[in-house]
Amino acid sequence: MLQEEAVVVAVDGDGIWVESDRTGTCQSCSASKGCGQRALAEYASKRSERLLIDNPHGLVARVGDRVSVGIEEGSFLQASLLLYTLPLVLLFLGGYLGSFYGVSELPSVFGSFFGLAAGLLLVRGAGQRLARSCRYQPVLMNII
């Protein structure tokens, strides 16, 4: 179970609204001063995320409580695999299939573009379907 700490910002009948600060590993990295990813990580770490989470254990949480929120590792890995590999595989497949048409690289470029677009659309549809599944939703683990 992957866990993250968050703060309860609201409680309603549907669940518990929590806010979690994005954390990065740049602070602990020895190469952070010369790395190009640092600016992007600093920008992302300034934003916080608000999520509506389920409370399957019936814990009584109040606004301001620090809580632990978790999601199953297998679900997280499956969603990550779908998100990152499907568009990439279809990008390469589209480029490969496009290389059979014509003698220039243009059909291959268009094939890659359409493969990537198809992959992104498929991921979007699958992501919406997975978002409705309880298995892919974060849950309240405990109150800290």
Side-chain angles (χ1 to χ4, degrees):
M1 180 76 62
L2 298 173
Q3 295 186 13
E4 179 71 28
E5 288 186 16
V7 177
V8 176
V9 293
V11 178
D12 63 16
D14 295 333
I16 298 173
W17 285 94
V18 296
E19 188 172 271
S20 175
D21 292 330
R22 291 187 179 188
T23 57
T25 56
C26 288
Q27 293 83 6
S28 62
C29 180
S30 62
S32 66
K33 296 200 182 344
C35 179
Q37 293 292 330
R38 185 173 184 195
L40 183 60
E42 284 178 2
Y43 171 74
S45 68
K46 291 178 185 173
R47 298 188 344 220
S48 60
E49 291 289 324
R50 281 192 178 196
L51 294 171
L52 177 63
I53 61 169
D54 193 20
N55 186 4
H57 307 298
L59 299 172
V60 180
R62 294 182 298 274
V63 175
D65 285 349
R66 291 199 65 76
V67 295
S68 178
V69 177
I71 190 167
E72 290 291 332
E73 292 173 2
S75 301
F76 181 77
L77 289 174
Q78 285 177 347
S80 298
L81 186 66
L82 174 72
L83 176 69
Y84 291 111
T85 58
L86 184 63
L88 188 62
V89 166
L90 290 179
L91 172 117
F92 288 130
L93 183 64
Y96 176 72
L97 293 175
S99 68
F100 292 117
Y101 298 103
V103 292
S104 70
E105 294 179 357
L106 194 58
S108 185
V109 170
F110 281 126
S112 295
F113 173 76
F114 287 121
L116 178 63
L120 292 174
L121 288 173
L122 286 172
V123 164
R124 182 177 181 190
Q128 290 173 349
R129 221 173 316 115
L130 292 177
R132 291 187 294 265
S133 172
C134 294
R135 190 171 160 219
Y136 294 93
Q137 296 295 322
V139 295
L140 180 65
M141 301 301 296
N142 58 22
I143 300 172
I144 301 174

